[in-house]
Amino acid sequence: MSVRQILRLGDPRLRQRAKAVGDPFDSSLAELIADLEDTMAAHQGAGLAAPQIGVALRVVLFGGGGVNPRYPDAAPVPHTLLINPVLTPLADEQQEGWEGCLSVPGLRGRVRRWQQLRYQGLDAAGNKIERCVEGFHARVVQHECDHLDGVLFPDKLSDPAAFGFIPELEAAGLIPSVPG
Ligand code: NI
């Protein structure tokens, strides 16, 4: 178990399509999951996908830790590890919201996402997970699963002007200031 280096925008490994996990009980997968847990915790991230630590497998981790200090207005998202996730939008409605990414440090951008969706996959013990979620929870899952297809949030900006460095966006009143 270790805190791994997080790849940053520009690294071609972030642009690969990740492969499905064949055997959820493989011991190397347990190591990967432990590393994702340690790395996300070290960075207080809202989520982390395996490609962000250079592993091209369809595994994402998100949520936990109560209210995320980076997203103080969002309802807590349960700590979830998802293997081979499949997302299905449940309504036509989309919603814009600000996102950041540990692979795009210091920046935020506004992205349109499905408001309601179902996600399915396997947890770390190989059990099936199926949840219908909405709002910030749905947004986090979409953001993390995009990483599995080599997509990062700046690819999906709803407006090129709604993108920038956190202090500048805060000064302009576009995003709320986060203390500390
Ligand atoms: Ni990200």
Side-chain angles (χ1 to χ4, degrees), residues 47 52 100-103 143-144 147 152-153:
Q52 292 181 275
C101 179
L102 294 174
S103 294
H143 175 115
E144 296 312 323
H147 281 295
L152 290 103
F153 84 82

